[in-house]
Amino acid sequence: MLFNPLKIRKVFFRNRIAVSPMCQYSSHDGFANDWHIVHYGSRAVGGAALVMTEAAAVEARGRISPYDLGIWKDDHISTLKLITDNIERQGAVAGIQLAHAGRKASVARPSEGGSPLNELNGGWKVVAPGAIPFDAGFQIPDVLDLPEIKNVIDSFVKAAQRAQTAGFRVIELHAAHGYLLHEFLSPVSNRRTDLYGGSFENRTRIVLEVVRGIRKAIPDLVFFVRISATDWLEPEGWTLDNSVALSRILKDEGVDLVDCSSGAVVPYAKIPATPGFQVPFAEMIRKETGILTGAVGLITSSVQAEAILQAGQADFILVGRQFLRDPYWPLRAAQELNLKGLWPFQYGRAH
Ligand code: FNR
């Protein structure tokens, strides 16, 4: 099944393997450059059906680090277009993840230590649902008021329109990993008492407003939403039951696939990261709601990926770090599963 094609709306995927979004921390002022063109293009040559870019910030202050990819201004479109053209010419579908880092924004890139930055040392003021820092040493965020929430929603919708102009055919909304949208979802980071906090309905409001805005602006796009299916703080955090309930609504709102990650809203949750540890979330959401799901997290072998699909646990396999080790992972996986003839003809003499 790993190499069975899949059609979602009008978009044809040649197999079930996607490059999971992974920050490259290689942009200046949000602009894509040669690194992105080569990096993403290589994974398209390597056989992925969907090559998803890293988190692209919908506002400059929504970047994790100063070097994040951005899509907050029209000027970003032309270099993004070079990426999508390159990916699509190699037979893969180009996707982009739209993100706002909220209270986890403004940190140094990992290769420079990853510490929080402020306005005096190259960072900027961060915003969040509440004045609760992510961890010791992180900024106390500015609290988004109602007009500012409207602006953030508008930034996501405008970013989606730019993504479409740039040629992306899949858009993934990043509502996971403790970034802004997840900060609204989780009761541990959202203690608001207005329309955007308190009840499940209120905490999910911003996500649903963004989803509706994007779906209305771009009716034909293939639309994924990445969630942290649990905060690993049950029962007081965001729970798997909450994720099932949200996914049911997302399906009704025209979302095509829920990409099931987990955690990262607080630094102290204990996460049992073993091979395929998040797959049961994709399975549960798929079975309970009927929406397509993506499985991600420590999926590194062809046999493991095939078994997930065979067991009906997910529809797409998102692969992260294994793609950093090996851009040709899908082609090797095909060989392991005894499928022949997938390597590009240019490399034929080696296979
Ligand atoms: C990530 N991850 C990630 N997730 C996401 O939703 N948006 C992002 O931009 C990033 N950036 C990122 C950068 C790097 C260097 C890594 C290693 C990871 C998480 C990633 O998409 C994936 O969910 C996890 O890495 C787990 O999958 P693997 O790596 O075990 O296959």
Side-chain angles (χ1 to χ4, degrees):
M1 282 183 73
L2 192 55
F3 289 87
N4 284 357
L6 178 68
K7 198 168 172 215
I8 306 178
R9 295 183 188 262
K10 291 178 185 142
V11 179
F12 179 83
F13 299 91
R14 60 186 168 185
N15 59 49
R16 307 302 183 90
I17 302 168
V19 178
S20 196
M22 283 180 287
C23 289
Q24 298 299 298
Y25 304 111
S26 301
S27 298
H28 295 273
D29 192 27
F31 284 92
N33 55 44
D34 286 354
W35 174 264
H36 302 91
I37 295 166
V38 173
H39 168 71
Y40 292 119
S42 308
R43 276 122 196 104
V45 171
L50 168 62
V51 179
M52 183 101 72
T53 72
E54 65 209 89
V58 302
E59 292 186 345
R61 65 181 177 180
R63 287 173 293 171
I64 302 166
S65 82
Y67 301 99
D68 285 27
L69 188 64
I71 188 160
W72 68 83
K73 53 185 174 186
D74 290 348
D75 290 350
H76 288 141
I77 294 172
S78 57
T79 41
L80 289 172
K81 181 88 173 65
L82 300 175
I83 297 180
T84 60
D85 284 346
N86 195 29
I87 291 171
E88 299 261 346
R89 278 200 293 262
Q90 309 309 328
V93 173
I96 188 167
Q97 189 185 51
L98 303 182
H100 192 305
R103 70 178 183 172
K104 291 173 82 174
S106 186
V107 299
R109 57 183 166 182
S111 57
E112 292 171 357
S115 305
L117 302 173
N118 57 42
E119 289 141 299
L120 300 176
N121 62 1
W124 55 87
K125 191 69 210 163
V126 306
V127 296
I132 315 167
F134 172 65
D135 197 5
F138 278 71
Q139 287 179 42
I140 298 175
D142 280 348
V143 180
L144 290 169
D145 64 18
L146 295 183
E148 286 165 336
I149 288 177
K150 290 268 166 295
N151 288 340
V152 168
I153 295 167
D154 195 45
S155 299
F156 272 105
V157 176
K158 287 210 175 85
Q161 287 167 320
R162 287 184 198 110
Q164 186 184 45
T165 309
F168 290 101
R169 294 195 288 156
V170 174
I171 289 182
E172 174 165 280
L173 184 63
H174 198 350
H177 300 168
Y179 297 118
L180 185 68
L181 296 177
H182 184 188
E183 288 159 23
F184 274 91
L185 294 175
S186 176
V188 299
S189 44
N190 182 351
R191 310 253 170 84
R192 296 175 77 101
T193 52
D194 63 1
L195 268 179
Y196 289 89
S199 64
F200 172 85
E201 192 191 354
N202 283 357
R203 282 180 284 115
T204 56
R205 187 179 306 279
I206 187 170
V207 170
L208 296 176
E209 288 179 349
V210 171
V211 162
R212 282 186 204 116
I214 293 179
R215 189 33 102 206
K216 187 161 168 239
I218 315 177
D220 290 335
L221 81 101
V222 173
F223 197 1
F224 291 9
V225 176
R226 173 166 275 196
I227 58 170
S228 281
T230 173
D231 286 345
W232 298 104
L233 299 168
E234 307 223 3
E236 71 269 24
W238 176 261
T239 65
L240 182 54
D241 283 349
N242 292 160
S243 292
V244 169
L246 175 63
S247 299
R248 208 167 269 133
I249 305 169
L250 292 175
K251 183 168 185 243
D252 289 344
E253 295 292 348
V255 169
D256 298 302
L257 181 144
V258 176
D259 174 5
C260 301
S261 189
S262 72
V265 78
V266 292
Y268 54 82
K270 299 250 176 308
I271 303 182
T274 51
F277 69 111
Q278 294 169 149
V279 175
F281 306 142
E283 177 179 24
M284 167 88 126
I285 290 170
R286 188 174 190 265
K287 290 196 172 141
E288 291 288 321
T289 70
I291 198 165
L292 300 179
T293 60
V296 66
L298 289 172
I299 303 170
T300 53
S301 91
S302 56
V303 172
Q304 181 193 11
E306 177 67 21
I308 292 165
L309 297 172
Q310 292 281 354
Q313 293 176 297
D315 302 278
F316 242 108
I317 305 291
L318 288 100
V319 173
R321 286 161 289 181
Q322 191 61 20
F323 260 124
L324 300 185
R325 297 180 195 111
D326 182 6
Y328 304 110
W329 184 79
L331 299 175
R332 289 189 218 286
Q335 269 177 326
E336 285 166 20
L337 298 172
N338 290 322
L339 295 168
K340 303 220 181 325
L342 290 180
W343 282 88
F345 74 86
Q346 294 92 334
Y347 299 164
R349 286 186 63 183
H351 296 281

